[in-house]
């Protein structure tokens, strides 16, 4: 993590995401810009957290560890997501590991400041409640998917949650670590490879050494049943 001393950038992000509708006098609040590189862990599960983070640039994923040592995928977060809301309200350690999928920029506001000056701010509390309820909704969806959906359904949801438009070539997932994806989806490397091989034979996706490319997004949409990890 790198702290960015850039008042112009900070002011621009506060304006872009309408922080003035949540806080009064945003220009004098002790906000801190924090930059994370792709792959960097923002929060480790079980550690203490001291600041609320607003994701204003990039994409992160939330995972939860299980007794086997694997991690289950909970959701992907995009701006403007709040990280640390449960920890702020419940006074508990970090509940999920948060990892930067791309380079990310966050605006941090210390818990101490919030406890002292913002807990009677109805606009802040309303915004916090909105994010908490959305997080509950997505966690419920992720639990249902992880418990009830087939690996094929889960993989389709994962692909559609993680890929980005790539001009005329459809959608592409830049990854070679199938084992990590298998862990996130709660399955084995071998089972996921069978699913990938089947989808390739059906012409739904195409796999190279460096990437998985979506060839038939409509079929994946039907398989995912409209469910996303986000």
């Amino acid at each position: 993590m790198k702290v960015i001393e850039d008042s112009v950038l900070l002011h621009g992000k506060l304006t872009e995401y309408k922080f003035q509708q949540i806080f009064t006098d945003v220009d004098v609040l002790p906000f801190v810009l924090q930059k994370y590189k792709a792959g960097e862990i923002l929060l480790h599960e079980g550690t203490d957290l001291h600041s609320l983070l607003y994701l204003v640039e990039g994409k992160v994923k939330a995972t939860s560890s299980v007794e086997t040592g694997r991690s289950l995928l909970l959701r992907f977060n995009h701006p403007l997501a709040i990280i640390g809301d449960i920890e702020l309200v419940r006074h508990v350690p970090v509940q999920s590991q948060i990892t930067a999928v791309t380079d990310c920029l966050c605006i941090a506001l210390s818990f101490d400041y919030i406890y002292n000056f913002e807990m009677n701010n109805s606009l802040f509390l309303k915004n916090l409640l909105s994010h908490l309820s959305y997080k509950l909704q997505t966690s419920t969806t992720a639990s249902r998917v992880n418990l009830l959906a087939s690996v094929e359904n889960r993989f389709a949801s994962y692909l559609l949650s993680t890929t980005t438009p790539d001009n005329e070539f459809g959608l592409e997932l830049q990854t070679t670590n199938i084992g990590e994806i298998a862990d996130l989806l709660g399955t084995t490397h071998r089972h996921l490879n069978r699913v990938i091989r089947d989808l390739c034979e059906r012409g739904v996706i195409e796999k190279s050494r460096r990437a998985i490319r979506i060839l038939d997004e409509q079929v994946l949409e039907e398989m995912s049943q409209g469910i996303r990890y986000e």
Side-chain angles (χ1 to χ4, degrees):
M1 184 266 289
K2 181 180 180 182
V3 174
I4 305 296
E5 299 287 347
D6 189 331
S7 58
V8 175
L9 177 59
L10 174 59
H11 179 76
K13 291 299 181 181
L14 293 173
T15 301
E16 178 181 356
Y17 290 103
K18 299 179 173 60
F19 274 63
Q20 68 274 11
Q21 296 180 6
I22 305 172
F23 303 97
T24 57
D25 299 326
V26 292
D27 290 329
V28 299
L29 265 65
F31 290 119
V32 177
L33 269 178
Q34 298 178 350
K35 187 174 184 179
Y36 299 86
K37 295 182 179 180
E40 187 174 354
I41 297 176
L42 283 70
L43 303 180
H44 290 269
E45 193 171 353
T47 60
D48 291 331
L49 183 62
H50 304 288
S51 295
L52 191 66
L53 303 179
Y54 290 89
L55 179 67
V56 293
E57 195 173 290
K59 180 178 183 179
V60 301
K61 66 180 177 183
T63 58
S64 180
S65 61
V66 293
E67 292 182 358
T68 61
R70 293 178 174 177
S71 296
L72 286 177
L73 178 63
L74 298 178
R75 77 186 68 82
F76 290 94
N77 287 332
H78 310 264
L80 177 69
I82 294 180
I83 302 169
D85 41 9
I86 294 176
E87 292 78 4
L88 171 74
V89 174
R90 298 291 298 165
H91 298 271
V92 294
V94 173
Q95 298 297 292
S96 306
Q97 179 168 298
I98 307 297
T99 307
V101 178
T102 65
D103 289 349
C104 294
L105 192 64
C106 293
I107 294 177
L109 186 62
S110 74
F111 283 178
D112 286 342
Y113 180 86
I114 293 172
Y115 291 140
N116 288 327
F117 300 104
E118 299 296 341
M119 295 309 288
N120 291 320
N121 178 350
S122 61
L123 294 177
F124 167 74
L125 294 177
K126 182 179 179 180
N127 181 259
L128 196 66
L129 177 60
S130 175
H131 283 271
L132 281 168
S133 60
Y134 177 76
K135 187 170 292 185
L136 174 61
Q137 176 187 351
T138 56
S139 294
T140 301
T141 299
S143 297
R144 184 171 69 249
V145 171
N146 288 328
L147 287 172
L148 302 177
S150 68
V151 174
E152 188 178 71
N153 297 144
R154 277 178 270 164
F155 185 57
S157 297
Y158 177 87
L159 282 177
L160 294 174
S161 298
T162 57
T163 48
T164 56
D166 186 29
N167 300 325
E168 60 183 306
F169 300 108
L171 299 169
E172 187 174 273
L173 175 65
Q174 297 287 342
T175 183
T176 55
N177 196 344
I178 300 301
E180 179 185 357
I181 298 175
D183 285 347
L184 291 174
L185 298 181
T187 188
T188 64
H189 186 288
R190 181 176 298 179
H191 192 168
L192 182 57
N193 269 328
R194 286 199 297 267
V195 169
I196 292 173
R197 186 163 55 249
D198 177 65
L199 292 175
C200 288
E201 291 173 355
R202 290 161 55 187
V204 180
I205 63 175
E206 177 182 72
K207 182 179 181 296
S208 66
R209 293 184 62 184
R210 296 177 59 84
I212 295 172
R213 188 185 301 277
I214 296 176
L215 302 179
D216 195 331
E217 187 177 355
Q218 182 176 351
V219 172
L220 286 180
E221 285 282 1
E222 294 171 357
M223 290 169 52
S224 72
Q225 301 175 341
I227 296 172
R228 298 288 185 274
Y229 285 101
E230 52 189 18

